Amino acid sequence: MLTAEQHEKLRGWFTGRLSADLFEGAADIAVDREEITVVGRIAEPQLAKDASDAEKAAAVEGRIQEFRERTREERIGVAREAEHRFRRKVSWGVRCGDEQALFTHVSAPVMTRLRQPERQVLDTLVAGGVARSRSDALAWCVRLVQRNADDWLSELSASLEEVRRVRAQGPDA
C-alpha cells in the first residue's frame, strides 16, 4: 500500500503527463501492489430528448469504443513511461454517463487458506450459479464487501496511513 504522499506524487505525475483534453476533469487513480488503474470521465453523446434507453445505451457504448480506439497510442505511451517509473502495470478505463468501462486490468492471483465452512460458502455460490468457480465466488464476495463496507474500508485506510506516519517519526526513522 502506498503512503498518502506517494499516492499524491503518482496522481500528480499522471495529471501532469496526461494531455489536458484527454478526460473531462482529473482522472481517478487507484493503486495496489500490482497495478495502477486510471479512470477518467468522457463526454456523453448528445442525443435527442426522446431517445430510448436502448439508443442511449448504444450511444454510450459507441462513445466509449471511439475513445478507446482514438486514444490507444497516447495511453500506451503514458503506460510505458509509468510502468518504468512506478514498477506497476497501468490499466485504463472511462466513465461516460452512469457507465464505467475498464479497457484493461490485471487479474492477479491471490493465495489464501480457507477452512471448510468458508469453502462451503464458495461451493454454495458455485452450485447456485452465482459464480463459475471458487475463484469467481471469492471475487464476488470481495465485491460484495467492498460495495457494503465503503465507509468502514475508508476509515481503515485512513487509520493505516496514521500508523505509517507515526512509525516514520519513531526512533528508527
Side-chain angles (χ1 to χ4, degrees):
M1 221 169 155
L2 296 178
T3 66
E5 182 181 354
Q6 290 169 325
H7 193 264
E8 288 169 5
K9 286 180 179 179
L10 187 137
R11 194 174 51 233
W13 184 86
F14 272 95
T15 299
R17 180 58 184 85
L18 296 175
S19 61
D21 61 342
L22 186 63
F23 298 122
E24 291 185 336
D28 292 328
I29 314 249
V31 184
D32 67 12
R33 288 186 294 184
E34 294 83 21
E35 178 180 29
I36 300 166
T37 304
V38 181
V39 179
R41 180 160 294 284
I42 60 174
E44 291 183 61
Q46 298 298 313
L47 297 166
K49 290 182 182 182
D50 62 343
S52 69
D53 289 343
E55 184 178 356
K56 290 175 188 174
V60 166
E61 182 181 335
R63 174 62 49 90
I64 290 170
Q65 190 61 37
E66 181 277 332
F67 175 87
R68 183 179 187 183
E69 296 303 322
R70 177 174 44 84
T71 63
R72 183 181 310 269
E73 286 186 38
E74 177 181 358
R75 290 183 295 106
I76 288 172
V78 171
R80 283 188 181 135
E81 288 178 42
E83 288 169 3
H84 178 74
R85 180 182 190 108
F86 300 111
R87 305 278 187 241
R88 290 173 173 85
K89 287 292 186 187
V90 175
S91 299
W92 298 91
V94 294
R95 272 189 207 85
C96 184
D98 295 333
E99 284 294 312
Q100 177 171 310
L102 292 177
F103 304 150
T104 55
H105 49 87
V106 172
S107 182
V110 178
M111 299 301 293
T112 186
R113 294 185 185 275
L114 300 176
R115 292 186 172 91
Q116 187 178 38
E118 296 151 341
R119 293 190 312 267
Q120 287 173 336
V121 169
L122 299 180
D123 292 341
T124 300
L125 292 170
V126 172
V130 173
R132 294 184 312 258
S133 64
R134 283 181 171 176
S135 178
D136 259 0
L138 188 55
W140 183 87
C141 291
V142 169
R143 286 190 302 273
L144 183 65
V145 169
Q146 180 185 26
R147 198 173 311 129
N148 293 314
D150 280 342
D151 293 338
W152 181 81
L153 289 171
S154 295
E155 189 175 329
L156 181 60
S157 292
S159 296
L160 289 172
E161 183 58 36
E162 182 62 18
V163 167
R164 280 193 205 93
R165 188 188 64 73
V166 171
R167 276 189 191 144
Q169 295 173 354
D172 295 334

